[in-house]
Amino acid sequence: LTLAEKASLVSPSEYIILKTLLESRDKYDYMSEDILRSKLNFIDSEFTISITKLLNMKAISEERIQGKKAYRITFSGLDILAIKMLYVNKILKNLGLIIGEGKESNVYYGYDFDDNVIVVKFHRVGKSSYKNIRKLREYTEKKSWISITMDNAKKEYQALKCLNENYALVPKLFGYSFNAIVMEYIEGTSLAKSKLSNPKKVLDNILGTVRIAYTNCKIVHGDLSQYNVIIDQNEIPYIIDWPQWKKEDQNLLNRDLNIILTFFKNKYNVIEDIDEISKFVKGE
Ligand code: ADP
Ligand code: MN
């Protein structure tokens, strides 16, 4: 089953189970069947049928704790909740094919209620083990991967919201729910694969976006590279992938700038002075 099919098959009582497991994610690693039952007032058959269906869809997972069944919500279950909420809020009518599976996200085509093509990015922190360990250390309190994932999505949402309000060249933000961000589909190719006719102008536009991010939103992208810039048909560069931003971090800003300036120097022989550019983006 595709993600969209799964979401369309989930019944109201199954949503309640997913919501209940989501809300207790940081309290219980797995919630015992007894506690889950006591929180819902389902009849026995309804409970059993719903749990079986959610398990088959891999929206929840089961574990035995001291011989007793216990459950937790999975990333797929979280995706399903997000899709439902976006549908109810008339942001997303339908989900399409997958565009790409990243290290910490799955990106899909979607359709809004006017059948325009849009993009849905589902965050999933904890897919790759390296980052896991590093990220876990960043958190002092014990948080579930589901919570860390939702924090990430919220961060990307906050960045895109501010950048949109300041007319930056980033995808238009259409919505946000749980671990999902809905945004404009930028038709084009990555900067890495593009063959630019006016590289100087493209670089200026990219630096303009970095400047808006820094001066208006007080943020530094933190993972800026030729892979996180999409060039459209009019050779306009859009910077994507914002969840890891940091507040006015000088080292990170210099790293971002270095990566992008090195790329333009090596591929297009466009040479800029890093110190001057750094002053420019900081509005100094
Ligand atoms: P990550 O690299 O963390 O997985 P990205 O936000 O970079 O997440 O998205 C992964 C890929 O999905 C991008 O490299 C790009 O190909 C595609 N993508 C993401 N957002 C958009 C968008 N708004 N329009 C078009 N393609 C997108
Ligand atoms: Mn990316």
Side-chain angles (χ1 to χ4, degrees):
L1 287 181
T2 65
L3 197 50
E5 285 165 338
K6 285 184 189 177
S8 69
L9 287 173
V10 173
S11 72
S13 33
E14 288 149 19
Y15 274 112
I16 293 170
I17 294 178
L18 290 178
K19 241 355 239 304
T20 306
L21 291 175
L22 179 69
E23 277 153 16
S24 56
R25 66 191 177 272
D26 294 320
K27 192 161 175 214
Y28 306 99
D29 194 11
Y30 280 85
M31 185 189 261
S32 77
E33 186 175 348
D34 295 345
I35 296 175
L36 183 56
R37 269 181 194 277
S38 72
K39 283 188 184 273
L40 313 162
N41 43 7
F42 292 178
I43 54 168
D44 275 358
S45 62
E46 189 186 14
F47 182 83
T48 312
I49 291 168
S50 299
I51 289 288
T52 307
K53 213 171 110 193
L54 290 170
L55 281 169
N56 284 337
M57 287 182 185
K58 297 193 161 57
I60 62 174
S61 67
E62 186 184 275
E63 189 68 62
R64 293 248 166 202
I65 294 179
Q66 290 157 347
K68 284 188 171 176
K69 287 180 185 170
Y71 304 99
R72 79 164 165 210
I73 187 171
T74 63
F75 280 128
S76 295
L78 189 62
D79 293 347
I80 289 168
L81 281 178
I83 292 167
K84 168 78 172 179
M85 190 65 85
L86 292 166
Y87 181 82
V88 168
N89 291 326
K90 295 266 189 289
I91 291 165
L92 176 71
K93 190 165 93 179
N94 228 320
L95 206 60
L97 296 174
I98 192 158
I99 301 180
E101 265 190 67
K103 288 182 301 280
E104 300 199 315
S105 73
N106 293 335
V107 180
Y108 284 77
Y109 291 106
Y111 301 90
D112 69 10
F113 279 74
D114 299 317
D115 289 319
N116 298 308
V117 178
I118 54 179
V119 164
V120 190
K121 178 175 179 180
F122 296 96
H123 285 258
R124 297 194 161 204
V125 182
K127 286 172 81 184
S128 63
S129 50
Y130 263 122
K131 281 204 168 176
N132 279 2
I133 298 158
R134 190 170 54 74
K135 275 244 165 69
L136 255 190
R137 279 206 212 104
E138 287 173 16
Y139 290 85
T140 44
E141 49 186 318
K142 189 187 175 295
K143 272 196 173 185
S144 63
W145 289 116
I146 295 280
S147 292
I148 297 171
T149 291
M150 291 201 298
D151 290 349
N152 249 34
K154 187 174 183 182
K155 273 191 77 184
E156 180 153 41
Y157 159 78
Q158 289 168 331
L160 285 176
K161 185 166 182 289
C162 181
L163 291 159
N164 270 234
E165 284 165 1
N166 288 284
Y167 309 102
L169 293 172
V170 298
K172 282 200 191 72
L173 177 67
F174 296 142
Y176 152 65
S177 173
F178 298 105
N179 65 329
I181 303 286
V182 182
M183 62 187 140
E184 178 187 8
Y185 170 56
I186 308 292
E187 195 178 347
T189 31
S190 74
L191 174 61
K193 288 190 191 152
S194 302
K195 290 197 162 53
L196 301 175
S197 56
N198 194 345
K200 174 79 174 80
K201 191 172 164 213
V202 170
L203 176 58
D204 284 349
N205 275 328
I206 292 171
L207 296 174
T209 305
V210 176
R211 181 187 164 104
I212 292 172
Y214 193 92
T215 60
N216 297 82
C217 303
K218 316 287 179 209
I219 66 174
V220 176
H221 185 286
D223 192 19
L224 187 60
S225 77
Q226 58 273 30
Y227 305 103
N228 281 332
V229 179
I230 304 176
I231 308 291
D232 80 356
Q233 297 90 320
N234 301 315
E235 218 164 84
I236 306 289
Y238 292 83
I239 303 182
I240 60 164
D241 203 359
W242 289 85
Q244 65 289 307
W245 62 263
K246 294 262 160 59
K247 263 213 132 60
E248 299 173 295
D249 183 316
Q250 301 303 305
N251 291 332
L252 210 54
L253 179 63
N254 277 326
R255 200 182 76 178
D256 276 359
L257 290 176
N258 253 316
I259 289 170
I260 219 72
L261 293 181
T262 304
F263 174 81
F264 274 90
K265 186 174 130 216
N266 292 344
K267 184 158 176 182
Y268 295 106
N269 204 32
V270 172
I271 298 167
E272 300 283 355
D273 180 61
I274 176 90
D275 294 328
E276 258 174 51
I277 296 298
S278 177
K279 277 186 190 153
F280 165 73
V281 301
K282 287 191 270 184
E284 287 171 359

